[in-house]
Amino acid sequence: MFNEVFCRIAARIAEVSRFSFDEINRCMEKSNHSKKQDVTLFVIKISNAPDADAKELFDAIVDARIELIENVSMKGSSISFDVNKRAIMKDVLCAIQSKQDKFGSNEIGKGKRMVVEYSSPNIAKIFHVGHLRTTILGQFIVNLLRECGYETTSINFFGDWGKQFGLVLLGYMKHGSEEELEKDPLRHLFDVYVKISRDAKDDAGVDAEAREIFRKMEEDGDEWCMGLWKKFRMLSVEKYKQLYKRLNVEFDVYSGESMYNERGKQIVETCGLVKTDPDGSKVFDFGDNQKVLAMKNDGTTLYITRDIAAAKERLEEYMPEKIIYVVSSEQNKHFEDLFRTLKLLGLDESRFQHVNYGLVAGMSTRAGKVEFLEDIVDEATSVMKRVMQADDSRSSFTPEEIDSTAEILALSTLLVMDFTAKRIKGYEFDVEKRARNTSGTGPYLQYAHCRLKSIEMRNNEVDYSSIDAIDFSLICVPEVFELVYKLLWYEHVVEKCLDDYEPSRIVTYLQDLAGCINSAINSLRVMGVDKELAKARLLVLSSARIVLQNGLKILGATPLSKM
């Protein structure tokens, strides 16, 4: 709908001027900011005599009295005008109502496949707030790609191999508890890892013992070590799945570094591009003293070795347009080395992309420093429950409704808190501050959706399905024009997110949309008004609710019907 409207405008201008459709399109800048006109034509982009040509074009547009254009003005070599919202209102609302939850989707990626790797926690290490960013950002990218027609495979690539597992196994032998492991495997293995790491600081022999255990795992496939490792992995993955469910996150594939250990070795030993350093280690040598370590001198692999093997297998198995890695900016150097090495191995570097993000600070709560991601979700839910229970208007909620609503609001809070700024920026974690229903927060967006849903439910006898029969002249007021024009932009915002995978684009849009809704809603009372007026108004409000719902879903939130 968005592209159709502006293509129609460009086509009409081309018809009445000597500029082509492509030239008008090229110099056209669109805006949805209330303080700017909707469209500006920068004639300097398509003319060697921009001032004279702008005046000629301005006169042609004014004389043609194009239905889709109003309020034409000129400044220098630029021509500005507004879109005639009255002329597009019916088409926009009809498109939203016909497409419903598919409004905003497109077929840009039809017939193409993408692979997205995200979350990827290290088993036996802390699953902290940093993993919240990769997890929800990765899921947003998956949601976005699917909305844009891509067949998308989501992969959780566990850090389940490496020297630290020698430490974990040794730590479990010394400090482990079967009962605690079954009760909470992630927390217990982390405690074990902390204790054995402390032991290693006091006793150099601990590290040597841990290295020997890992050597037995990697080279000998020691039955006892591998059996215990498999148990740790299985229990951890089941615990992760429970947490992912609370975060509205699903993976198509659960994978891990351990699956690529042998293949990584094989690549290093057979590719013919690896050199041996004086200490016996294997390296990819790029010249000018630039090397990437591929295998240690004791024959064990590294993270990058296993990443190379995984990348090659994914290209073979899925044949994707691109493999996207959602990992913090701390790992920029790793991915530069990985992509450069893959290129050296003859793979197309453009098929790999690192989507990075900044770090989070300030995970403090009254209970002390929050470390585990599960604690963060619990704390956010607890905050939302306190807010809900303090509000007398929610006295009709059952305890079960309060619990489920609080958890949905908690996730909405975390998502919007994380996605408000550009992903490369870090932010201060403060769930108490963000839990309040203040402008721009997750609860604020949910409240706008609930308010619209409530109006629809209270007026469910009003039938506005026959859009051709609706009298749109009844709602030709500035608030509705602004709201409908904002709704038109949703498709474009989704499409633009493909450029940079920035969820902040969607959040900013939804915040603006919620503001438009709140400005218009008091002028659009439905109950107790004339039947035809009620139909027209409810059509607008329902359309706004659909777009708000679709935006919340693409972020990873569950839209609430009441709160």
Side-chain angles (χ1 to χ4, degrees), residues 272-417:
L273 298 169
V274 172
K275 295 182 179 179
T276 303
D277 264 2
D279 67 353
S281 59
K282 307 286 187 181
V283 298
F284 290 102
D285 193 338
F286 295 92
D288 298 324
N289 292 319
Q290 296 184 56
K291 300 176 182 178
V292 171
L293 183 61
M295 192 182 294
K296 294 180 182 178
N297 56 13
D298 63 0
T300 56
T301 57
L302 293 97
Y303 184 41
I304 195 167
T305 324
R306 300 185 284 272
D307 256 355
I308 291 167
K312 286 175 69 69
E313 183 183 276
R314 289 168 191 170
L315 288 181
E316 293 162 7
E317 182 174 354
Y318 301 110
M319 293 181 288
E321 293 286 308
K322 191 168 286 189
I323 300 174
I324 296 171
Y325 301 84
V326 186
V327 185
S328 82
S329 55
E330 286 186 311
Q331 296 296 321
N332 285 353
K333 179 64 165 61
H334 167 80
F335 285 100
E336 287 170 11
D337 288 343
L338 174 63
F339 299 163
R340 188 169 56 164
T341 304
L342 291 169
K343 183 179 180 181
L344 183 69
L345 292 169
L347 302 177
D348 182 355
E349 197 175 6
S350 69
R351 296 178 73 182
F352 306 96
Q353 182 176 358
H354 174 208
V355 176
N356 59 7
Y357 54 86
L359 302 180
V360 182
M363 294 180 288
S364 60
T365 68
R366 292 186 311 280
K369 193 170 181 66
V370 176
E371 294 178 329
F372 282 84
L373 184 52
E374 185 175 29
D375 293 338
I376 292 163
V377 177
D378 287 342
E379 175 65 15
T381 303
S382 176
V383 169
M384 292 313 310
K385 281 181 71 172
R386 290 199 301 273
V387 171
M388 291 181 68
Q389 289 165 341
D391 189 340
D392 291 339
S393 68
R394 298 187 176 97
S395 57
S396 62
F397 278 65
T398 66
E400 291 76 18
E401 285 177 326
I402 287 179
D403 287 344
S404 61
T405 303
E407 181 134 328
I408 290 171
L409 284 173
L411 178 56
S412 302
T413 300
L414 294 172
L415 288 168
V416 174
M417 176 167 58

Side-chain angles (χ1 to χ4, degrees), residues 441-457:
T441 63
Y444 172 79
L445 299 180
Q446 288 281 13
Y447 177 74
H449 182 269
C450 290
R451 196 176 178 191
L452 294 170
K453 187 71 174 177
S454 174
I455 293 171
E456 287 182 86
M457 292 171 70

Side-chain angles (χ1 to χ4, degrees), residues 451-486:
R451 196 176 178 191
L452 294 170
K453 187 71 174 177
S454 174
I455 293 171
E456 287 182 86
M457 292 171 70
R458 290 201 309 270
N459 297 279
N460 61 2
E461 78 286 354
V462 178
D463 182 7
Y464 53 87
S465 58
S466 298
I467 295 179
D468 284 338
I470 286 177
D471 184 354
F472 285 94
S473 69
L474 297 172
I475 50 173
C476 286
V477 295
E479 295 92 340
V480 172
F481 288 153
E482 183 182 358
L483 179 54
V484 169
Y485 186 61
K486 185 69 70 174

